[in-house]
mmCIF file of all heavy atoms in Angstrom:
data_model
loop_
_atom_site.group_PDB
_atom_site.id
_atom_site.type_symbol
_atom_site.label_atom_id
_atom_site.label_comp_id
_atom_site.label_asym_id
_atom_site.label_seq_id
_atom_site.Cartn_x
_atom_site.Cartn_y
_atom_site.Cartn_z
ATOM 1 N N PRO A 472 -8.583 -8.889 -6.428
ATOM 2 C CA PRO A 472 -9.735 -8.094 -6.876
ATOM 3 C C PRO A 472 -9.579 -7.587 -8.301
ATOM 4 O O PRO A 472 -8.475 -7.306 -8.769
ATOM 5 C CB PRO A 472 -9.750 -6.916 -5.891
ATOM 6 C CG PRO A 472 -9.003 -7.396 -4.696
ATOM 7 C CD PRO A 472 -7.968 -8.339 -5.209
ATOM 8 N N LYS A 473 -10.689 -7.471 -8.975
ATOM 9 C CA LYS A 473 -10.725 -6.928 -10.323
ATOM 10 C C LYS A 473 -10.514 -5.419 -10.240
ATOM 11 O O LYS A 473 -11.169 -4.725 -9.466
ATOM 12 C CB LYS A 473 -12.077 -7.238 -10.956
ATOM 13 C CG LYS A 473 -12.202 -6.863 -12.414
ATOM 14 C CD LYS A 473 -13.547 -7.319 -12.974
ATOM 15 C CE LYS A 473 -13.706 -8.822 -12.869
ATOM 16 N NZ LYS A 473 -14.874 -9.295 -13.647
ATOM 17 N N CYS A 474 -9.570 -4.902 -11.023
ATOM 18 C CA CYS A 474 -9.300 -3.470 -11.010
ATOM 19 C C CYS A 474 -8.901 -3.017 -12.407
ATOM 20 O O CYS A 474 -8.741 -3.834 -13.318
ATOM 21 C CB CYS A 474 -8.228 -3.124 -9.982
ATOM 22 S SG CYS A 474 -6.753 -4.128 -10.068
ATOM 23 N N GLN A 475 -8.750 -1.715 -12.564
ATOM 24 C CA GLN A 475 -8.587 -1.166 -13.909
ATOM 25 C C GLN A 475 -7.164 -1.234 -14.435
ATOM 26 O O GLN A 475 -6.941 -1.232 -15.639
ATOM 27 C CB GLN A 475 -9.081 0.285 -13.915
ATOM 28 C CG GLN A 475 -10.562 0.374 -13.591
ATOM 29 C CD GLN A 475 -11.016 1.789 -13.343
ATOM 30 O OE1 GLN A 475 -11.500 2.455 -14.259
ATOM 31 N NE2 GLN A 475 -10.861 2.279 -12.129
ATOM 32 N N THR A 476 -6.196 -1.251 -13.548
ATOM 33 C CA THR A 476 -4.795 -1.402 -13.929
ATOM 34 C C THR A 476 -4.123 -2.326 -12.925
ATOM 35 O O THR A 476 -4.587 -2.460 -11.791
ATOM 36 C CB THR A 476 -4.048 -0.050 -13.930
ATOM 37 O OG1 THR A 476 -4.040 0.481 -12.600
ATOM 38 C CG2 THR A 476 -4.707 0.949 -14.874
ATOM 39 N N PRO A 477 -3.032 -2.964 -13.318
ATOM 40 C CA PRO A 477 -2.310 -3.795 -12.341
ATOM 41 C C PRO A 477 -1.774 -2.951 -11.197
ATOM 42 O O PRO A 477 -1.503 -1.761 -11.353
ATOM 43 C CB PRO A 477 -1.158 -4.387 -13.168
ATOM 44 C CG PRO A 477 -1.580 -4.253 -14.594
ATOM 45 C CD PRO A 477 -2.418 -3.020 -14.648
ATOM 46 N N TYR A 478 -1.623 -3.576 -10.041
ATOM 47 C CA TYR A 478 -1.157 -2.871 -8.854
ATOM 48 C C TYR A 478 0.298 -3.190 -8.516
ATOM 49 O O TYR A 478 0.739 -2.940 -7.408
ATOM 50 C CB TYR A 478 -2.021 -3.250 -7.650
ATOM 51 C CG TYR A 478 -3.176 -2.312 -7.410
ATOM 52 C CD1 TYR A 478 -4.391 -2.526 -8.034
ATOM 53 C CD2 TYR A 478 -3.055 -1.221 -6.563
ATOM 54 C CE1 TYR A 478 -5.464 -1.680 -7.814
ATOM 55 C CE2 TYR A 478 -4.112 -0.367 -6.328
ATOM 56 C CZ TYR A 478 -5.323 -0.599 -6.958
ATOM 57 O OH TYR A 478 -6.384 0.235 -6.738
ATOM 58 N N GLY A 479 1.043 -3.762 -9.447
ATOM 59 C CA GLY A 479 2.421 -4.084 -9.131
ATOM 60 C C GLY A 479 2.512 -5.056 -7.971
ATOM 61 O O GLY A 479 1.659 -5.924 -7.801
ATOM 62 N N VAL A 480 3.547 -4.936 -7.160
ATOM 63 C CA VAL A 480 3.732 -5.879 -6.065
ATOM 64 C C VAL A 480 2.714 -5.691 -4.950
ATOM 65 O O VAL A 480 2.729 -6.418 -3.965
ATOM 66 C CB VAL A 480 5.167 -5.796 -5.498
ATOM 67 C CG1 VAL A 480 6.168 -6.254 -6.529
ATOM 68 C CG2 VAL A 480 5.490 -4.374 -5.043
ATOM 69 N N ALA A 481 1.804 -4.693 -5.091
ATOM 70 C CA ALA A 481 0.775 -4.517 -4.070
ATOM 71 C C ALA A 481 -0.154 -5.718 -3.994
ATOM 72 O O ALA A 481 -0.813 -5.949 -2.987
ATOM 73 C CB ALA A 481 -0.036 -3.247 -4.345
ATOM 74 N N PHE A 482 -0.217 -6.504 -5.067
ATOM 75 C CA PHE A 482 -1.047 -7.704 -5.055
ATOM 76 C C PHE A 482 -0.527 -8.753 -4.079
ATOM 77 O O PHE A 482 -1.232 -9.682 -3.737
ATOM 78 C CB PHE A 482 -1.076 -8.339 -6.449
ATOM 79 C CG PHE A 482 -2.110 -7.755 -7.375
ATOM 80 C CD1 PHE A 482 -1.915 -7.800 -8.743
ATOM 81 C CD2 PHE A 482 -3.275 -7.177 -6.886
ATOM 82 C CE1 PHE A 482 -2.867 -7.288 -9.615
ATOM 83 C CE2 PHE A 482 -4.226 -6.651 -7.752
ATOM 84 C CZ PHE A 482 -4.018 -6.703 -9.116
ATOM 85 N N LYS A 483 0.710 -8.616 -3.662
ATOM 86 C CA LYS A 483 1.354 -9.700 -2.934
ATOM 87 C C LYS A 483 0.660 -10.048 -1.622
ATOM 88 O O LYS A 483 0.658 -11.200 -1.204
ATOM 89 C CB LYS A 483 2.821 -9.380 -2.648
ATOM 90 C CG LYS A 483 3.042 -8.335 -1.558
ATOM 91 C CD LYS A 483 4.520 -8.131 -1.280
ATOM 92 C CE LYS A 483 4.725 -7.133 -0.141
ATOM 93 N NZ LYS A 483 6.154 -6.928 0.157
ATOM 94 N N ASP A 484 0.062 -9.065 -0.947
ATOM 95 C CA ASP A 484 -0.522 -9.326 0.370
ATOM 96 C C ASP A 484 -2.027 -9.533 0.317
ATOM 97 O O ASP A 484 -2.722 -9.361 1.316
ATOM 98 C CB ASP A 484 -0.180 -8.199 1.341
ATOM 99 C CG ASP A 484 -0.655 -6.839 0.857
ATOM 100 O OD1 ASP A 484 -1.217 -6.768 -0.258
ATOM 101 O OD2 ASP A 484 -0.473 -5.858 1.586
ATOM 102 N N PHE A 485 -2.536 -9.912 -0.852
ATOM 103 C CA PHE A 485 -3.971 -10.092 -1.015
ATOM 104 C C PHE A 485 -4.560 -11.049 0.013
ATOM 105 O O PHE A 485 -5.528 -10.734 0.707
ATOM 106 C CB PHE A 485 -4.277 -10.604 -2.432
ATOM 107 C CG PHE A 485 -5.628 -11.258 -2.555
ATOM 108 C CD1 PHE A 485 -6.785 -10.500 -2.496
ATOM 109 C CD2 PHE A 485 -5.731 -12.632 -2.707
ATOM 110 C CE1 PHE A 485 -8.037 -11.100 -2.578
ATOM 111 C CE2 PHE A 485 -6.970 -13.244 -2.794
ATOM 112 C CZ PHE A 485 -8.133 -12.472 -2.737
ATOM 113 N N ASP A 486 -3.980 -12.231 0.144
ATOM 114 C CA ASP A 486 -4.581 -13.263 0.995
ATOM 115 C C ASP A 486 -4.592 -12.857 2.465
ATOM 116 O O ASP A 486 -5.627 -12.910 3.136
ATOM 117 C CB ASP A 486 -3.828 -14.593 0.817
ATOM 118 C CG ASP A 486 -4.619 -15.768 1.360
ATOM 119 O OD1 ASP A 486 -5.862 -15.734 1.294
ATOM 120 O OD2 ASP A 486 -4.007 -16.720 1.853
ATOM 121 N N ILE A 487 -3.438 -12.415 2.985
ATOM 122 C CA ILE A 487 -3.379 -12.052 4.399
ATOM 123 C C ILE A 487 -4.223 -10.809 4.663
ATOM 124 O O ILE A 487 -4.872 -10.683 5.716
ATOM 125 C CB ILE A 487 -1.914 -11.829 4.856
ATOM 126 C CG1 ILE A 487 -1.850 -11.598 6.378
ATOM 127 C CG2 ILE A 487 -1.245 -10.703 4.107
ATOM 128 C CD1 ILE A 487 -2.273 -12.767 7.214
ATOM 129 N N SER A 488 -4.282 -9.879 3.701
ATOM 130 C CA SER A 488 -5.071 -8.661 3.891
ATOM 131 C C SER A 488 -6.553 -8.973 3.991
ATOM 132 O O SER A 488 -7.266 -8.417 4.838
ATOM 133 C CB SER A 488 -4.825 -7.676 2.746
ATOM 134 O OG SER A 488 -3.512 -7.164 2.797
ATOM 135 N N GLN A 489 -7.042 -9.844 3.115
ATOM 136 C CA GLN A 489 -8.476 -10.139 3.163
ATOM 137 C C GLN A 489 -8.842 -10.884 4.441
ATOM 138 O O GLN A 489 -9.935 -10.693 4.988
ATOM 139 C CB GLN A 489 -8.907 -10.946 1.935
ATOM 140 C CG GLN A 489 -8.336 -12.336 1.841
ATOM 141 C CD GLN A 489 -9.221 -13.260 1.024
ATOM 142 O OE1 GLN A 489 -10.322 -12.878 0.637
ATOM 143 N NE2 GLN A 489 -8.766 -14.460 0.775
ATOM 144 N N ILE A 490 -7.915 -11.688 4.979
ATOM 145 C CA ILE A 490 -8.183 -12.381 6.239
ATOM 146 C C ILE A 490 -8.269 -11.372 7.386
ATOM 147 O O ILE A 490 -9.160 -11.436 8.240
ATOM 148 C CB ILE A 490 -7.089 -13.426 6.524
ATOM 149 C CG1 ILE A 490 -7.141 -14.554 5.475
ATOM 150 C CG2 ILE A 490 -7.245 -13.996 7.925
ATOM 151 C CD1 ILE A 490 -8.436 -15.332 5.462
ATOM 152 N N ILE A 491 -7.334 -10.429 7.407
ATOM 153 C CA ILE A 491 -7.333 -9.399 8.453
ATOM 154 C C ILE A 491 -8.592 -8.545 8.366
ATOM 155 O O ILE A 491 -9.243 -8.256 9.385
ATOM 156 C CB ILE A 491 -6.065 -8.530 8.347
ATOM 157 C CG1 ILE A 491 -4.834 -9.345 8.764
ATOM 158 C CG2 ILE A 491 -6.189 -7.275 9.211
ATOM 159 C CD1 ILE A 491 -3.515 -8.623 8.556
ATOM 160 N N VAL A 492 -8.956 -8.135 7.148
ATOM 161 C CA VAL A 492 -10.159 -7.317 6.966
ATOM 162 C C VAL A 492 -11.400 -8.076 7.419
ATOM 163 O O VAL A 492 -12.299 -7.508 8.058
ATOM 164 C CB VAL A 492 -10.285 -6.868 5.502
ATOM 165 C CG1 VAL A 492 -11.643 -6.215 5.255
ATOM 166 C CG2 VAL A 492 -9.180 -5.892 5.140
ATOM 167 N N LYS A 493 -11.450 -9.358 7.099
ATOM 168 C CA LYS A 493 -12.609 -10.170 7.509
ATOM 169 C C LYS A 493 -12.735 -10.209 9.028
ATOM 170 O O LYS A 493 -13.837 -10.130 9.573
ATOM 171 C CB LYS A 493 -12.487 -11.582 6.948
ATOM 172 C CG LYS A 493 -13.687 -12.479 7.257
ATOM 173 C CD LYS A 493 -13.539 -13.846 6.632
ATOM 174 C CE LYS A 493 -14.805 -14.669 6.853
ATOM 175 N NZ LYS A 493 -15.147 -14.855 8.285
ATOM 176 N N ARG A 494 -11.612 -10.327 9.719
ATOM 177 C CA ARG A 494 -11.656 -10.356 11.181
ATOM 178 C C ARG A 494 -12.133 -9.008 11.742
ATOM 179 O O ARG A 494 -12.930 -8.971 12.683
ATOM 180 C CB ARG A 494 -10.278 -10.696 11.754
ATOM 181 C CG ARG A 494 -9.890 -12.146 11.589
ATOM 182 C CD ARG A 494 -10.931 -13.078 12.230
ATOM 183 N NE ARG A 494 -11.081 -12.840 13.666
ATOM 184 C CZ ARG A 494 -12.245 -12.882 14.310
ATOM 185 N NH1 ARG A 494 -13.379 -13.124 13.665
ATOM 186 N NH2 ARG A 494 -12.289 -12.678 15.621
ATOM 187 N N TYR A 495 -11.659 -7.910 11.162
ATOM 188 C CA TYR A 495 -12.141 -6.602 11.587
ATOM 189 C C TYR A 495 -13.659 -6.515 11.407
ATOM 190 O O TYR A 495 -14.382 -6.063 12.296
ATOM 191 C CB TYR A 495 -11.477 -5.480 10.779
ATOM 192 C CG TYR A 495 -10.103 -5.063 11.258
ATOM 193 C CD1 TYR A 495 -9.017 -5.024 10.389
ATOM 194 C CD2 TYR A 495 -9.902 -4.654 12.573
ATOM 195 C CE1 TYR A 495 -7.760 -4.613 10.813
ATOM 196 C CE2 TYR A 495 -8.640 -4.235 13.013
ATOM 197 C CZ TYR A 495 -7.580 -4.214 12.121
ATOM 198 O OH TYR A 495 -6.336 -3.802 12.549
ATOM 199 N N ARG A 496 -14.115 -6.947 10.238
ATOM 200 C CA ARG A 496 -15.548 -6.852 9.958
ATOM 201 C C ARG A 496 -16.354 -7.733 10.896
ATOM 202 O O ARG A 496 -17.397 -7.324 11.413
ATOM 203 C CB ARG A 496 -15.830 -7.244 8.508
ATOM 204 C CG ARG A 496 -17.249 -6.912 8.053
ATOM 205 C CD ARG A 496 -17.548 -7.512 6.703
ATOM 206 N NE ARG A 496 -17.539 -8.973 6.762
ATOM 207 C CZ ARG A 496 -17.776 -9.762 5.722
ATOM 208 N NH1 ARG A 496 -18.002 -9.231 4.540
ATOM 209 N NH2 ARG A 496 -17.751 -11.067 5.846
ATOM 210 N N ASP A 497 -15.867 -8.958 11.132
ATOM 211 C CA ASP A 497 -16.579 -9.876 12.021
ATOM 212 C C ASP A 497 -16.705 -9.315 13.439
ATOM 213 O O ASP A 497 -17.656 -9.620 14.163
ATOM 214 C CB ASP A 497 -15.865 -11.234 12.068
ATOM 215 C CG ASP A 497 -15.974 -11.997 10.752
ATOM 216 O OD1 ASP A 497 -16.811 -11.605 9.906
ATOM 217 O OD2 ASP A 497 -15.220 -12.964 10.569
ATOM 218 N N LEU A 498 -15.718 -8.492 13.822
ATOM 219 C CA LEU A 498 -15.709 -7.906 15.163
ATOM 220 C C LEU A 498 -16.467 -6.573 15.225
ATOM 221 O O LEU A 498 -16.505 -5.922 16.268
ATOM 222 C CB LEU A 498 -14.273 -7.704 15.648
ATOM 223 C CG LEU A 498 -13.497 -9.007 15.925
ATOM 224 C CD1 LEU A 498 -12.005 -8.727 16.072
ATOM 225 C CD2 LEU A 498 -14.030 -9.693 17.182
ATOM 226 N N GLY A 499 -17.042 -6.163 14.098
ATOM 227 C CA GLY A 499 -17.839 -4.947 14.081
ATOM 228 C C GLY A 499 -17.064 -3.660 13.925
ATOM 229 O O GLY A 499 -17.600 -2.567 14.149
ATOM 230 N N VAL A 500 -15.798 -3.745 13.531
ATOM 231 C CA VAL A 500 -14.969 -2.548 13.343
ATOM 232 C C VAL A 500 -15.402 -1.822 12.070
ATOM 233 O O VAL A 500 -15.599 -2.450 11.026
ATOM 234 C CB VAL A 500 -13.475 -2.932 13.263
ATOM 235 C CG1 VAL A 500 -12.624 -1.728 12.867
ATOM 236 C CG2 VAL A 500 -13.005 -3.497 14.598
#
Side-chain angles (χ1 to χ4, degrees):
K473 186 175 300 191
C474 49
Q475 297 170 95
T476 63
Y478 267 88
V480 294
F482 275 153
K483 74 177 183 179
D484 58 358
F485 160 71
D486 196 33
I487 186 65
S488 292
Q489 66 154 353
I490 294 298
I491 290 174
V492 171
K493 183 178 185 301
R494 286 303 300 142
Y495 278 127
R496 191 189 65 180
D497 291 346
L498 292 166
V500 172

